[in-house]
Amino acid sequence: MADSTPPLATQQDRPVYVIGGGPGGLSVAAALRARGVRAVVLEKSERVGASWRGHYDRLRLHTTRRLSALPGLPIPRSFGRWVTRDNVIRYLEKYAEYHRLDVVTGVEVTGLERAPDGTGWLLHATGGRQLTGSAVVIATGYNHTPRLPDWPGRDTYSGELLHAGDYRNPAPYAGKDVLVVGVGNTGAEIAVDLVEGGAARVRLAVRTAPHIVRRSTAGWPAQRTGILCRRLPVALVDRLSKPLARISVPDLAPQGLPRPDTGLYSRVNEGAIPVQDVGLIHAVRTGRVEPVAAVESFDDGKVTLADGSRIAPEVVIAATGYSRALHPLVGDLGVLDHRGHPTAHGPRTPRQAPGLYFTGFTNPISGMLRELSLDAEKIAKAISKST
């Protein structure tokens, strides 16, 4: 793995530049290399897998080891069925080494424009670098920049307020009253982690009731169901999922977490992946995690909820998601929609920006790493055909 400044490519030898050294970028680079296309991965941090290194300690993949491997290298069986965060990092490091990928660390791409000769792309990077590539793949990640809501009175809150991206483990919060905001997979798992780690009280602020699924039922992982459902009509999956949810997930409405009134797959298409149960159901049923209304504001050291009640937690952990943060890089190219998401994804390239590809900016029900692998092969095929 290189850690030096990449040389300027000549007109005859322009590499494909892959921006981002996470699983998406590494898998594309490996797939390109397998097709004989030179690819250079540009990673702004000092090591690959930077986003994974920042996740909380107890994180495990919610997808199986077999269905989470990147192209060309299985995840070791010794890592178990549900791979830990640390083992994901080890795998990514081994992946770059195994495929002999050209990874340049400590380089952040700050701008992107068409090359002066009209073919390829000119990248502006830190240190005044200007790099010319035949194509560019942007793989900077779904979880790029922490998003913290601008709640009224937030700056006056006297307790500790942090984003879930800054949470590592429950040790600093033992014996404390903690409010977790957001009931996606991250918020649900952090709430359980806090309970198991000795927090005195854990409340979970819920704006929209989530769909909860068992991670595995009788050995059958939820991911496989997601793969089977991926190509089915949305209305059909919505209809089939309701009776299955009633059988597999108890009614938590008496504890303040009612069943959602929208279809499971409809919510997925809106960007809300079901919460995989890694202890939340038990924690809610036993009263160890207390669902409460959504946060509306902060006032006089307290938190005002949507139902008008006021609580005074010592710590607020906001599991409120991330932004893709693509506007600074490609916002002037007309390739983003109103949400800041790419208008083209995978092997498709925007009409107004040929040779520009995006991967990893969706959150599929069939598993992020699996879809990154499929995208990598498709992107590599499309690029090899065009060069």
Side-chain angles (χ1 to χ4, degrees):
M1 185 183 301
D3 61 358
S4 59
T5 302
L8 288 175
T10 65
Q11 290 284 93
Q12 292 76 27
D13 183 31
R14 291 177 174 176
V16 175
Y17 281 107
V18 181
I19 305 174
L26 297 180
S27 59
V28 168
L32 285 167
R33 181 180 174 83
R35 290 179 175 272
V37 179
R38 182 182 171 223
V40 177
V41 179
L42 303 176
E43 167 56 45
K44 70 176 182 178
S45 73
E46 297 305 319
R47 295 177 291 180
V48 300
S51 64
W52 281 92
R53 297 176 191 277
H55 288 314
Y56 48 94
D57 295 346
R58 73 170 279 157
L59 177 65
R60 288 178 178 266
L61 290 181
H62 292 165
T63 54
T64 67
R65 170 181 55 81
R66 287 180 177 272
L67 296 175
S68 301
L70 303 180
L73 184 67
I75 297 176
R77 291 186 63 183
S78 61
F79 286 2
R81 193 181 198 197
W82 312 104
V83 184
T84 65
R85 181 205 66 176
D86 288 348
N87 279 336
V88 170
I89 295 168
R90 292 188 184 98
Y91 173 69
L92 294 178
E93 292 173 338
K94 179 64 176 178
Y95 191 84
E97 177 185 345
Y98 177 83
H99 287 292
R100 293 179 292 173
L101 301 182
D102 189 356
V103 180
V104 183
T105 59
V107 175
E108 181 178 6
V109 178
T110 57
L112 191 63
E113 61 181 289
R114 296 294 293 173
D117 62 3
T119 63
W121 291 89
L122 178 64
L123 293 77
H124 300 274
T126 49
R129 299 172 178 87
Q130 291 191 355
L131 312 170
T132 306
S134 58
V136 173
V137 182
I138 298 180
T140 48
Y142 191 83
N143 295 337
H144 187 276
T145 302
R147 184 174 62 240
L148 190 64
D150 188 19
W151 289 298
R154 188 186 79 183
D155 294 340
T156 66
Y157 177 58
S158 57
E160 181 181 358
L161 171 63
L162 67 151
H163 189 271
D166 295 318
Y167 175 87
R168 293 295 172 266
N169 60 65
Y173 312 104
K176 294 188 177 182
D177 183 337
V178 185
L179 172 67
V180 180
V181 183
V183 69
N185 277 293
T186 296
E189 192 158 355
I190 287 177
V192 172
D193 198 32
L194 287 163
V195 163
E196 295 177 353
R201 186 176 190 180
V202 178
R203 284 173 282 203
L204 182 60
V206 179
R207 184 170 298 278
T208 304
H211 287 274
I212 303 175
V213 299
R214 301 286 187 180
R215 186 169 66 175
S216 179
T217 303
W220 179 267
Q223 182 188 9
R224 288 198 178 276
T225 302
I227 293 171
L228 293 175
C229 293
R230 185 84 193 274
R231 305 301 177 189
L232 294 178
V234 172
L236 176 61
V237 177
D238 284 349
R239 189 161 58 249
L240 293 175
S241 64
K242 286 185 178 180
L244 291 176
R246 293 186 180 278
I247 294 171
S248 61
V249 178
D251 183 13
L252 300 175
Q255 288 79 33
L257 194 60
R259 297 186 188 277
D261 55 10
T262 53
L264 184 149
Y265 208 11
S266 294
R267 292 286 304 281
V268 169
N269 283 347
E270 295 170 359
I273 295 296
V275 172
Q276 293 204 19
D277 178 46
V278 290
L280 179 67
I281 292 175
H282 178 71
V284 170
R285 291 187 77 181
T286 57
R288 300 177 74 194
V289 169
E290 308 167 46
V292 297
V295 171
E296 289 294 310
S297 63
F298 290 78
D299 181 37
D300 193 26
K302 295 185 178 181
V303 180
T304 302
L305 304 179
D307 61 4
S309 60
R310 300 178 73 202
I311 60 177
E314 298 170 82
V315 182
V316 175
I317 300 175
T320 46
Y322 296 78
S323 67
R324 310 295 86 82
L326 289 170
H327 274 290
L329 187 60
V330 296
D332 59 347
L333 298 178
V335 297
L336 303 178
D337 62 18
H338 68 282
R339 302 170 300 168
H341 295 184
T343 56
H345 197 267
R348 296 183 296 113
T349 186
R351 183 179 305 174
Q352 67 274 37
L356 179 62
Y357 300 85
F358 296 87
T359 185
F361 295 97
T362 61
N363 196 9
I365 194 173
S366 49
M368 173 69 83
L369 293 179
R370 177 180 182 272
E371 295 303 322
L372 286 175
S373 296
L374 296 175
D375 267 357
E377 301 285 7
K378 295 173 183 177
I379 291 172
K381 181 179 180 180
I383 290 176
S384 63
K385 282 184 175 181
S386 64
T387 55

